[in-house]
Amino acid sequence: MFGIVRPCSHRLTEGLKTEWMAHLCGLCLALRSDHGQLARVVTNYDGLIVSVLTEAQAERSTGRRRTAGPCPLRAMRTAPVAQGEGARLAAAVSLVLASAKVRDHVADRDGLLGRKPVAVAARRIARSWDRAGARTGASLGFDTAVLVDAVDRQGGIEALAGPGTSLLTVTEPTETATAAAFAHTAVLAGKPHNAAPLAEAGRLFGRLAHLLDAVEDRETDAASGAWNPLDATGTDLVEARRLADDAVHDIRLALREVDFVDGRLAHVLLAHELTQSVNRSFRTTECGHAHDTEHQASYGPYGQPPQHGGNPYGFPPEPPRPQPRGFFAGCAAFLGLCCTCKMCCADEYEGPWSRKKREGCCNDCDCDCSCCEVCQCCECCECLSCASC
């Protein structure tokens, strides 16, 4: 639920960190204001990018921020938060896609959702989120039917996929949905000429999100017998990494065509932070296009292979991952994390639904923060690593 773009505080300047938190809180409060308290559980890091893109293209106005009251996620501090059409579009998109996720869990009878009374309640919530997202989208001129259609087509595509099927065939519905959401930010900002490059950036972002989710869940899916696009299509990690690196590179190229008023935060999230997301998912510190040609010739782009058997990609073995929580158990865990401020301030916490380890969004880290943060062009980043910027 929380997305692939999770910037560490050391990689954001203080000003950009404040802006990022303003959009995150703005999405959460837009969900509450338009759709009630329960809707806040669909707040996610990737959804706020829609809000960021809308604001990055628009001329600066005095009404784009408001001061929100104390919140447990901000250690009971007030803060400026984003408001307006960008936050509302992000809320609509998040609701519709979360609704699809709930229906998918119900169909798979995951956890508590395998029990009929719980499944009935979950379907009712999903239908209400669908309607609410559609109403908000319509008020902004955005037809959420394109998102619903993409989700509905996903199951049929997965059922037909097999060895030899292109992985990009499987990721196409996600690409279509995110392309539509990204493109509509240009309409809201009054810059329709930005729609084409933003649609391309959104399409590639959707591909990357789907791909990295498949990489991170591969071992868990194999253990539980769940469907995974990499195993189903016979795509190995080398090819998956190539597709991921190419997607990040092409997102950067698409962003260069966008007419931004202030694109610094959008650039950091969609260029530099996506590189970090790829490295995190593949458990590497460098991109797939290695700098050292001699080293690459000897060991390939993923480093020296293990000397005594084991994973052929050189990844360290991991302990078994805990099983994901069901929808309602995850909601309860989410509320507990909110009330204890762990999402904001903890060194590490367990994701409420996925149970994956996450860093607190305000937690300091030991990362190498020498990379450029706000450069607009990235001409020097030919291999997607920003160490030379």
Side-chain angles (χ1 to χ4, degrees), residues 161-176:
T165 302
S166 169
L167 187 59
L168 301 187
T169 301
V170 179
T171 63
E172 179 274 321
T174 308
E175 295 178 22
T176 299

Side-chain angles (χ1 to χ4, degrees), residues 10-366:
H10 278 182
R11 289 193 299 267
L12 293 177
T13 63
E14 192 60 35
L16 290 183
K17 179 183 173 184
T18 300
E19 289 295 300
W20 182 78
M21 286 296 297
H23 286 284
L24 181 62
C25 295
L27 169 57
C28 180
L29 294 177
L31 286 164
R32 185 199 66 181
S33 298
D34 289 351
H35 310 293
Q37 290 285 358
L38 180 60
R40 299 173 80 176
V41 302
V42 311
T43 304
N44 64 96
Y45 294 154
D46 290 348
L48 72 88
I49 292 175
V50 172
S51 178
V52 170
L53 286 172
T54 304
E55 187 173 283
Q57 300 169 74
E59 299 298 332
R60 291 292 172 259
S61 64
T62 53
R64 65 191 186 96
R65 292 285 183 274
R66 71 177 180 87
T67 301
C71 173
L73 287 177
R74 294 191 299 269
M76 301 309 294
R77 293 189 297 264
T78 61
V81 300
Q83 63 176 349
E85 293 183 330
R88 296 184 66 221
L89 176 62
V93 171
S94 296
L95 274 173
V96 174
L97 295 183
S99 167
K101 188 75 170 178
V102 171
R103 290 198 303 270
D104 185 53
H105 283 307
V106 171
D108 292 342
R109 302 177 63 83
D110 289 338
L112 288 174
L113 294 176
R115 300 178 181 177
K116 188 174 180 180
V118 179
V120 169
R123 287 194 191 97
R124 187 173 301 158
I125 291 171
R127 285 195 297 269
S128 71
W129 284 351
D130 267 338
R131 292 192 296 267
R135 285 195 304 271
T136 300
S139 71
L140 299 170
F142 180 67
D143 186 359
T144 59
V146 66
L147 308 182
V148 176
D149 175 69
V151 171
D152 289 344
R153 288 189 294 109
Q154 186 71 53
I157 290 173
E158 291 179 358
L160 295 174
T165 302
S166 169
L167 187 59
L168 301 187
T169 301
V170 179
T171 63
E172 179 274 321
T174 308
E175 295 178 22
T176 299
T178 49
F182 275 41
H184 197 69
T185 66
V187 177
L188 295 182
K191 293 193 174 179
H193 55 283
N194 283 340
L198 284 173
E200 177 67 3
R203 182 179 67 82
L204 293 161
F205 182 86
R207 175 184 301 178
L208 191 62
H210 199 136
L211 180 59
L212 296 188
D213 183 64
V215 171
E216 291 182 353
D217 292 347
R218 191 179 190 187
E219 294 176 8
T220 305
D221 289 344
S224 64
W227 193 91
N228 185 283
L230 298 179
D231 292 333
T233 60
T235 304
D236 60 29
L237 290 180
V238 174
E239 174 63 9
R241 181 61 192 256
R242 183 190 69 79
L243 290 171
D245 285 343
D246 287 349
V248 176
H249 179 266
D250 291 345
I251 286 172
R252 287 183 168 182
L253 295 180
L255 290 179
R256 293 179 188 176
E257 305 300 318
V258 180
D259 175 19
F260 285 124
V261 172
D262 182 356
R264 289 176 299 169
L265 181 57
H267 176 83
V268 170
L269 296 180
L270 290 173
H272 297 285
E273 285 304 324
L274 282 184
T275 300
Q276 298 294 332
S277 299
V278 172
N279 289 335
R280 182 171 59 243
S281 295
F282 285 90
R283 300 168 211 149
T284 60
T285 55
E286 294 292 334
C287 64
H289 307 82
H291 293 282
D292 186 341
T293 4
E294 182 179 350
H295 183 272
Q296 184 178 9
S298 302
Y299 302 122
Y302 298 99
Q304 185 173 359
Q307 300 300 310
H308 304 289
N311 192 321
Y313 298 97
F315 299 147
E318 285 194 334
R321 297 182 182 181
Q323 290 297 311
R325 292 187 179 93
F327 175 72
F328 289 102
C331 290
F334 176 85
L335 293 175
L337 289 169
C338 289
C339 294
T340 57
C341 302
K342 285 188 177 180
M343 282 184 177
C344 184
C345 306
D347 291 340
E348 188 176 71
Y349 67 89
E350 190 179 77
W353 284 276
S354 68
R355 304 191 73 176
K356 296 175 184 175
K357 295 299 182 184
R358 310 288 195 196
E359 284 184 352
C361 58
C362 295
N363 176 51
D364 289 340
C365 69
D366 298 323

